[in-house]
Amino acid sequence: MVEKVAEFRQLYIATRDAILIGPLSQAQSSLFSAQLNELKQVALTGLAAKIGQAYLDLVVANLTYSSHQLFFVLNLNHDHSTIPLPIPINQLQSWKKTHAPEYVLFSRNAFLYNGISIDETAAAALL
């Protein structure tokens, strides 16, 4: 499963990292949108499909609000529903300045559960 969702994860990371540098340019948005459309054609099944869709949802959210320099993490709920939550760049910079553990967690992990940053393995178990 890990190999199958690698491209989905990489596109999320690419959009997130670009947003951390600055608002996306039109050229960046177009490039990421083209990559997103290609990934939408990839057929995944089972748990890989759920993780892949989670990353696709995050990429769509990142691209939708990129001019506001927001990036998104996916909140996983106990009932298996999800909702993308925005992280403003100024919040991340504040965490970085104060050496808050949230900086490392939210700049590395794409998922939340009960307000706690979780990795992909934990997210897969919850999905």
Side-chain angles (χ1 to χ4, degrees):
M1 179 195 74
V2 173
E3 302 82 31
K4 291 182 179 183
V5 298
E7 290 181 54
F8 294 79
R9 182 184 323 105
Q10 289 170 348
L11 182 57
Y12 167 73
I13 290 169
T15 59
R16 180 197 64 206
D17 290 352
I19 290 168
L20 291 174
I21 293 169
L24 296 184
S25 67
Q26 185 60 39
Q28 287 174 307
S29 291
S30 295
L31 176 64
F32 289 139
S33 293
Q35 292 172 342
L36 175 66
N37 289 332
E38 287 177 21
L39 285 179
K40 286 181 178 178
Q41 306 306 314
V42 174
L44 298 175
T45 59
L47 187 55
K50 291 179 181 180
I51 294 289
Q53 187 60 52
Y55 280 120
L56 288 180
D57 292 345
L58 287 170
V59 170
V60 168
N62 282 350
L63 294 177
T64 301
Y65 297 99
S66 63
S67 63
H68 300 291
Q69 205 172 357
L70 297 171
F71 73 94
F72 287 77
V73 294
L74 196 65
N75 187 62
L76 306 171
N77 301 310
H78 68 279
D79 64 355
H80 304 288
S81 62
T82 61
I83 185 168
L85 298 174
I87 306 286
I89 191 68
N90 58 354
Q91 179 64 61
L92 197 67
Q93 290 169 343
S94 175
W95 286 332
K96 185 177 181 179
K97 288 177 187 174
T98 62
H99 303 286
E102 289 88 352
Y103 174 75
V104 174
L105 294 172
F106 285 102
S107 61
R108 183 179 57 208
N109 295 329
F111 304 103
L112 284 175
Y113 181 72
N114 285 339
I116 299 170
S117 179
I118 59 172
D119 64 10
E120 187 177 298
T121 304
L126 292 167
L127 288 171

